[in-house]
Amino acid sequence: MATIRSREDQDGITIGWQAQIKRKGFPLQIKTFRTKAEATHWATVTESEMMRGIFIQRSESEQTTVHDLLSRYAREILPTLKGGHKELSRIRVLQNGLGQYSLAALNSSMIAKYRDKRLSTMSEKTGRLVGTQTVKHELGLLQRALKMAVMEWGIALPNGIPTAMVKKPPLPAARTRRLIDNEESRLLDACADAQTPWLLPVVIFAIETAMRAGEILETWKYIKDTEGGKVKTKTSNGLQWSDVDLNKRTAHLPMTKNGEARTVPLSSRAVEVLRHLPRNLDGRVFGTTYEGLHQSYARACKRADIEDLRFHDLRHEATSRFFEKGLREMQVAAITGHKTLQMLKRYTHLKAEDLAKLLG
């Protein structure tokens, strides 16, 4: 049975009402309210939940804000994830938008309003509206943190996991950019004329293997630390000679973007590229970084008069060519490292004229 007591200040004036519930099998529940009616209502509802077996301990979720939760997630979980540092900027955005709310108060309506506000915000980095992919990543991060709170940290959420009830913004149309007409020969000629000797072999190797830039080359990135300062951090070591077997025609990648190792088979053209490379003392196959190569690649595209061809589009090109050679979905996935066929589909754009040849 609940006990309702008034709370007085030093002058004996009632300043609030405290409700206390003692019930066998449940932790002691104490909460203070401004009016007696509010205290009585809370006690009635709480006792009803206990009797029906649906009571949820709310004290920790009421005392923990979204800001606190995300800070703990950044401190304890992100360091264990490959590329976890990339989530720090998303955590700061989420903390600015939702950080003041307690986990107990957080609901789907608040998150939907956050989603809509973000989609109408101009990005300081690009000068354009924040993209749907960006917002979807932010909501996904929040959902993972809330799940961690429930499953691992013992924080009960009275409203469940509200992000699961919010409609995610639709993804933008996947890029379909491939090399067309004589663009490949023009691109390779321009790469051959580049001042950096690494440009041509890197581009050919990317087209032949569908490997990501961070899997081929050492990659660095400037990120903000918890105090807002910029720190240069290595995000990839790039391909190492110790992981290449020219006799077996394979390149082993011990750690990839999706957190799993994979071994990439090498075409005869890719092997030929590697055989003509000098050996670096640091063990890297390509003795440069993606940051160092980026401008050279952009200049080569400009010299070749090729527009809107990103380095990552070479992965799209290679993946599509694997299908055009007759490889099946699982065979291609084993080479590219895509975890699901849906993800693989986004990187695959087959040419209609090649499909027509298969029809006879």
Side-chain angles (χ1 to χ4, degrees), residues 91-101 110 114 117:
I91 282 180
R92 283 190 289 270
V93 172
L94 286 165
Q95 287 176 327
N96 289 335
L98 297 168
Q100 72 273 25
Y101 297 111
M110 294 174 183
Y114 168 85
K117 183 177 180 180

Side-chain angles (χ1 to χ4, degrees), residues 15-149:
I15 58 174
W17 294 83
Q18 184 185 81
Q20 185 178 108
I21 301 175
K22 291 183 180 180
R23 192 178 185 89
K24 186 176 181 179
F26 295 92
L28 175 66
Q29 299 296 306
I30 302 176
K31 196 167 184 179
T32 301
F33 298 87
R34 189 168 51 86
T35 66
K36 185 176 182 180
E38 290 174 336
T40 302
H41 175 72
W42 174 82
T44 301
V45 171
T46 302
E47 285 190 308
S48 174
E49 290 178 350
M50 289 177 173
M51 291 177 63
R52 289 180 292 151
I54 61 172
F55 171 76
I56 296 176
Q57 174 68 275
R58 294 177 171 83
S59 58
E60 190 166 5
S61 63
E62 290 173 342
Q63 297 168 8
T64 304
T65 64
V66 174
H67 187 284
D68 296 335
L69 173 69
L70 292 172
S71 293
R72 181 176 180 182
Y73 189 84
R75 186 172 59 252
E76 298 183 15
I77 305 303
L78 291 190
T80 68
L81 304 176
K82 178 176 172 59
H85 62 278
K86 298 177 183 178
E87 302 276 35
L88 287 174
S89 60
R90 294 182 185 130
I91 282 180
R92 283 190 289 270
V93 172
L94 286 165
Q95 287 176 327
N96 289 335
L98 297 168
Q100 72 273 25
Y101 297 111
S102 72
L103 298 185
L106 191 66
N107 58 43
S108 57
S109 176
M110 294 174 183
I111 296 173
K113 289 179 181 178
Y114 168 85
R115 174 202 62 200
D116 296 341
K117 183 177 180 180
R118 284 289 287 154
L119 290 173
S120 63
T121 301
M122 298 296 291
S123 170
E124 294 181 1
K125 183 177 181 180
T126 65
R128 299 190 297 269
L129 287 175
V130 173
T132 55
Q133 182 78 296
T134 297
V135 178
K136 186 172 183 179
H137 282 316
E138 291 169 4
L139 296 182
L141 171 60
L142 178 59
Q143 182 159 313
R144 290 192 295 276
L146 291 171
K147 283 185 176 180
M148 182 63 65

